[in-house]
C-alpha cells in the first residue's frame, strides 16, 4: 500500500515538473520579444526593463568575478579593490536597441592607486563574458590615451575630483594613444592623471537574436578588468553607434 502511494506521489511530481518545463519560456524568447516589440529603443546600455526581460533567470552577473555593475549604475563612481585579493570585472550589457553595425565603447578614468607591474592595474576589455561571438565580432585592440586637462586646483583637496575637473576630462583632447591589450603591455598610468580606453566592434544585435533558434541569449558585455589592489575614478563608461 505504501509503495503504491509513493509511486502515485512520484507520478504526480513528475507530471508537475513536465508541466512546468512546458510552461517555461523558451531560451532566448525574451530577447526575441524585445527585438520585435514596438517600444522605443535607443543605443546604450541595457536598462532594468530590458535586462529583466532578456536575462530569463540566467543571472549574467552572478559570482564573485563580477564587481557588481549592471543597469542603473550612477557615474562618476570610485571603483575600489584595495581590500580584496582577487580580480573582478565591472560589466555592462549592450542594449539590443543598438542597430546592428559598428559600435564604439569608451571609458574615461583617473587612477587613484598605482604600483609597479600589474598590481593595482585595470583596463577596458571587449567582453567580460569572454565567450560571446554570437552578438559581437571583430573587436579592435583597446587603445589607451592620455587626456590633456587645463591646470586645476580643486576647492576641496580631500575630493578625488570635483565637478569642474570631471567635466574637463570628459571634453578633453586625447594624446599619446597606445595599445592596451594585456596587463603587462598596457601603458603605465600615473596616479591622478586622466585617461581614456576605447575599442570598436561589430555588434550583431537583433539580427543575431533572430538566429538563436532556441539557444539562450547572452549579451555583449564590455567590461573593465580590475586587478586586486586597484582603485580608480570611473567618470564615463559608454557605448555608442559608430559613425
Amino acid at each position: 500500500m505504501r509503495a503504491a502511494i509513493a509511486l502515485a506521489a512520484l507520478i504526480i511530481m513528475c507530471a508537475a515538473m513536465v508541466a512546468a518545463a512546458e510552461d517555461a519560456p523558451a531560451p532566448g524568447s525574451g530577447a526575441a520579444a524585445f527585438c520585435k516589440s514596438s517600444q522605443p529603443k535607443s543605443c546604450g546600455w541595457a536598462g532594468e526593463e530590458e535586462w529583466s526581460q532578456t536575462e530569463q533567470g540566467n543571472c549574467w552577473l552572478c559570482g564573485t568575478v563580477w564587481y557588481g555593475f549592471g543597469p542603473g549604475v550612477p557615474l562618476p563612481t570610485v571603483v575600489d579593490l584595495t581590500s580584496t585579493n582577487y580580480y573582478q570585472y565591472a560589466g555592462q550589457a549592450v542594449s539590443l536597441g543598438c542597430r546592428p553595425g559598428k559600435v564604439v565603447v569608451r571609458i574615461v578614468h583617473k587612477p587613484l592607486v598605482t604600483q609597479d607591474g600589474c598590481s593595482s592595474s585595470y583596463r577596458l576589455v571587449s567582453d567580460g563574458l569572454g565567450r560571446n561571438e554570437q552578438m559581437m565580432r571583430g573587436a579592435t585592440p583597446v587603445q589607451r590615451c592620455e587626456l590633456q586637462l587645463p591646470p586645476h586646483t580643486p576647492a576641496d583637496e580631500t575630493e578625488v575630483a570635483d565637478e569642474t575637473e570631471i567635466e574637463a576630462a570628459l571634453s578633453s583632447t586625447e594624446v599619446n594613444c597606445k595599445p592596451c591589450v594585456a596587463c603587462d603591455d598596457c601603458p603605465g598610468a600615473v596616479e591622478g592623471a586622466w585617461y581614456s580606453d576605447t575599442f570598436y566592434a561589430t555588434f550583431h544585435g537583433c539580427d543575431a537574436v533572430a538566429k538563436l533558434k532556441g539557444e539562450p541569449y547572452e549579451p555583449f558585455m564590455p567590461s573593465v578588468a580590475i586587478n586586486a589592489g586597484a582603485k580608480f575614478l570611473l567618470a564615463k563608461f559608454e557605448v555608442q553607434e559608430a559613425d
Side-chain angles (χ1 to χ4, degrees):
M1 184 68 177
R2 290 180 180 178
I5 294 174
L7 178 60
L10 181 60
I11 292 172
I12 293 172
M13 183 177 68
C14 290
M17 292 174 65
V18 170
E22 291 175 347
D23 292 339
S29 61
F34 180 87
C35 287
K36 293 176 181 178
S37 72
S38 59
Q39 65 190 84
K41 300 180 181 68
S42 60
C43 189
W45 301 125
E48 292 185 7
E49 183 176 349
E50 178 182 351
W51 193 287
S52 176
Q53 181 176 351
T54 58
E55 190 178 28
Q56 291 189 268
N58 290 320
C59 197
W60 296 319
L61 297 184
C62 285
T64 56
V65 73
W66 294 105
Y67 180 76
F69 270 27
V73 174
L75 297 179
T77 188
V78 173
V79 177
D80 187 355
L81 259 65
T82 55
S83 60
T84 66
N85 57 5
Y86 50 87
Y87 71 90
Q88 290 184 309
Y89 290 94
Q92 291 280 20
V94 176
S95 173
L96 291 170
C98 295
R99 294 173 298 179
K102 185 169 286 188
V103 295
V104 55
V105 179
R106 183 172 182 259
I107 64 172
V108 175
H109 53 97
K110 175 183 181 180
L112 302 176
V113 172
T114 56
Q115 299 176 17
D116 294 334
C118 289
S119 297
S120 77
S121 69
Y122 59 93
R123 59 191 173 87
L124 179 65
V125 295
S126 60
D127 197 350
L129 291 176
R131 58 183 183 274
N132 194 350
E133 294 188 352
Q134 170 193 88
M135 300 303 300
M136 176 277 294
R137 288 184 185 273
T140 63
V142 172
Q143 293 285 316
R144 174 164 290 181
C145 302
E146 299 173 13
L147 301 181
Q148 287 187 325
L149 274 69
H152 173 68
T153 302
D156 184 353
E157 295 286 351
T158 64
E159 292 185 349
V160 295
D162 61 19
E163 185 174 337
T164 301
E165 181 182 354
I166 292 172
E167 289 179 355
L170 295 180
S171 60
S172 62
T173 302
E174 296 178 328
V175 298
N176 298 330
C177 299
K178 298 177 181 179
C180 179
V181 294
C183 178
D184 56 1
D185 70 1
C186 195
V190 177
E191 187 174 320
W194 283 90
Y195 302 87
S196 67
D197 290 10
T198 307
F199 74 87
Y200 293 81
T202 299
F203 179 58
H204 300 310
C206 286
D207 285 354
V209 170
K211 299 175 183 178
L212 288 178
K213 301 186 183 304
E215 298 176 36
Y217 164 68
E218 291 185 346
F220 172 25
M221 187 88 72
S223 304
V224 183
I226 316 162
N227 280 339
K231 183 178 181 180
F232 60 97
L233 175 64
L234 184 62
K236 176 175 284 189
F237 188 7
E238 67 176 1
V239 59
Q240 294 180 331
E241 292 168 350
D243 296 333

